[in-house]
């Protein structure tokens, strides 16, 4: 069975990349809604509409399960999708629980899109797990735009990050939760800002584990992804990639995808 993974854009690749490590034999169909990115500034109705169209598309292409590799779409559309489709549909939410349970005392910063931050889903989650009120929320919508432009370490990104985090006292934080899949690309910059001690927590490994569980798939031992000299990434062959309904089979867009996977490999364990 093929697994469909979608996001507004290239953020969802970080989930797919993790799946390559843990489910190397699995076939995937990846969809980036590149005409409608960013979702983080759209209305819930618009996002539900996009998510429904993409789910139809992925099922039509043979997906037997769907991963909504987007915290924003999950926060507004997951209920609707589960109600309307009779296949496993997995979502993502900021990994607040592991952050709260895995740390003590100091504060935790959750960064996400404005939509994710406004939704009740996140408020309910905080209500359930953040008993000591250690969590602060911060919207960073511009990081989505920087990521889409493949601008991961420019002065402009650094400035944006410094300015957004600048409103908080960084000494008080022990963990930063990446509540948007696009935010994974910037791990070295968070590290630079917060230093070595602060945990960077994303939900990707948890999502892939959950997927394996739900579909009873055997997980690999976290395989070593080797990239040969020619930059051939044979593991990408297990996947059909679509950008807004158009299959990517070559050209600059395929090179773009390869560069993104290389970046994700580089920042994976930061
Ligand atoms: N990657 C998305 C997320 O996880 C959404 C980014 C956007 O389109 O605003 O929230």
């Amino acid at each position: 069975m093929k697994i469909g993974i979608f996001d507004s854009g290239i953020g969802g690749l970080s989930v797919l990349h993790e799946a390559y490590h843990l489910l190397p034999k699995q076939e995937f169909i990846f969809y980036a809604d590149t005409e409608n990115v960013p979702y983080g500034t759209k209305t819930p109705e618009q996002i539900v509409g996009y998510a429904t169209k993409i789910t139809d598309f992925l099922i039509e292409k043979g997906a037997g399960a769907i991963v909504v590799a987007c915290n924003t779409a999950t926060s507004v559309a997951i209920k609707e999708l589960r109600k309307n489709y009779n296949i496993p549909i997995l979502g993502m939410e900021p990994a607040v629980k592991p952050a709260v349970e895995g740390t003590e005392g100091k504060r935790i910063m959750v960064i996400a899109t404005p939509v994710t931050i406004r939704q009740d889903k996140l408020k309910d989650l905080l209500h359930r797990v953040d008993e000591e009120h250690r969590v602060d929320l911060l919207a960073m919508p511009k990081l989505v735009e920087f990521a889409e432009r493949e601008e991961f370490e420019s002065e402009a990104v650094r400035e944006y990050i410094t300015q957004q985090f600048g409103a908080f006292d960084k000494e008080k934080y022990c963990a930063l939760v990446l509540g948007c899949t696009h935010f994974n690309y910037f791990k070295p910059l968070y590290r630079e800002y917060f230093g070595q001690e602060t945990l960077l927590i994303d939900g990707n490994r948890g999502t892939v584990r959950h997927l394996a569980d739900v579909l009873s798939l055997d997980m690999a031992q976290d395989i070593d992804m080797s990239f040969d000299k020619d930059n051939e990434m044979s593991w990408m062959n297990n996947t059909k990639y679509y950008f807004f309904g158009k299959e990517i089979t070559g050209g600059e867009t395929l090179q773009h995808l390869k560069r993104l996977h290389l970046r994700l490999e580089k920042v994976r364990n930061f």
Side-chain angles (χ1 to χ4, degrees):
M1 187 232 302
K2 292 179 192 158
I3 298 171
I5 299 188
F6 80 87
D7 180 32
S8 60
I10 59 160
L13 279 185
S14 63
V15 181
L16 178 63
H17 194 85
E18 196 59 34
Y20 283 148
H21 275 273
L22 300 174
L23 300 170
K25 296 204 179 86
Q26 180 62 46
E27 277 185 83
F28 297 97
I29 313 170
F30 179 80
Y31 190 109
D33 196 6
T34 46
E35 290 289 308
N36 296 310
V37 66
Y39 283 0
T41 50
K42 303 282 192 309
T43 66
E45 293 72 24
Q46 282 173 307
I47 299 168
V48 170
Y50 304 143
T52 303
K53 274 204 188 124
I54 297 168
T55 304
D56 283 339
F57 180 92
L58 291 169
I59 291 174
E60 150 88 30
K61 295 286 177 200
I66 303 283
V67 179
V68 184
C70 174
N71 296 262
T72 309
T74 300
S75 70
V76 295
I78 199 83
K79 274 198 192 141
E80 191 75 11
L81 293 179
R82 287 190 178 137
K83 195 171 84 201
N84 295 335
Y85 298 92
N86 204 8
I87 57 171
I89 299 192
L90 284 84
M92 292 194 77
E93 63 184 7
V96 177
K97 196 162 182 263
V100 170
E101 287 172 356
T103 60
E104 273 179 358
K106 289 177 96 177
R107 302 199 66 75
I108 295 164
M109 172 113 64
V110 176
I111 53 175
T113 68
V115 169
T116 303
I117 286 182
R118 273 198 304 271
Q119 289 302 306
D120 288 343
K121 198 165 186 302
L122 183 55
K123 294 195 188 109
D124 293 346
L125 176 66
L126 291 179
H127 191 73
R128 279 200 314 277
V129 306
D130 182 23
E131 283 171 12
E132 293 167 11
H133 303 289
R134 287 199 288 137
V135 174
D136 293 310
L137 304 177
L138 175 63
M140 292 190 105
K142 281 207 180 134
L143 287 185
V144 177
E145 293 168 36
F146 282 122
E148 288 295 323
R149 289 202 298 270
E150 236 182 294
E151 203 179 321
F152 303 130
E153 305 220 3
S154 68
E155 268 321 293
V157 191
R158 269 204 180 80
E159 246 170 57
Y160 178 65
I161 285 178
T162 311
Q163 181 211 347
Q164 295 293 102
F165 288 150
F168 301 84
D169 176 359
K170 70 176 165 191
E171 302 305 327
K172 292 197 171 134
Y173 291 84
C174 60
L176 177 70
V177 175
L178 313 185
C180 168
T181 50
H182 278 80
F183 294 178
N184 285 279
Y185 294 98
F186 305 98
K187 281 181 180 174
L189 272 64
Y190 313 134
R191 186 53 75 230
E192 208 172 281
Y193 186 87
F194 282 102
Q196 285 306 321
E197 299 300 308
T198 305
L199 292 172
L200 303 181
I201 304 176
D202 67 70
N204 290 347
R205 211 160 300 181
T207 300
V208 176
R209 283 212 185 101
H210 184 45
L211 178 67
D213 237 30
V214 169
L215 301 181
S216 307
L217 305 170
D218 287 333
M219 279 208 326
Q221 207 51 302
D222 191 344
I223 57 151
D224 174 32
M225 315 272 283
S226 42
F227 300 91
D228 69 28
K229 278 204 300 305
D230 301 325
N231 213 4
E232 267 327 307
M233 302 175 189
S234 54
W235 34 270
M236 280 176 79
N237 297 340
N238 281 346
T239 303
K240 280 196 187 310
Y241 290 88
Y242 293 90
F243 274 19
F244 192 63
K246 186 176 177 302
E247 190 179 346
I248 308 304
T249 51
E252 165 51 25
T253 315
L254 187 64
Q255 293 312 316
H256 175 54
L257 283 171
K258 287 183 177 178
R259 287 195 300 274
L260 294 172
H261 276 298
L262 278 173
R263 173 78 187 173
L264 289 167
E265 186 61 18
K266 178 178 159 197
V267 304
R268 185 165 178 252
N269 292 318
F270 253 80

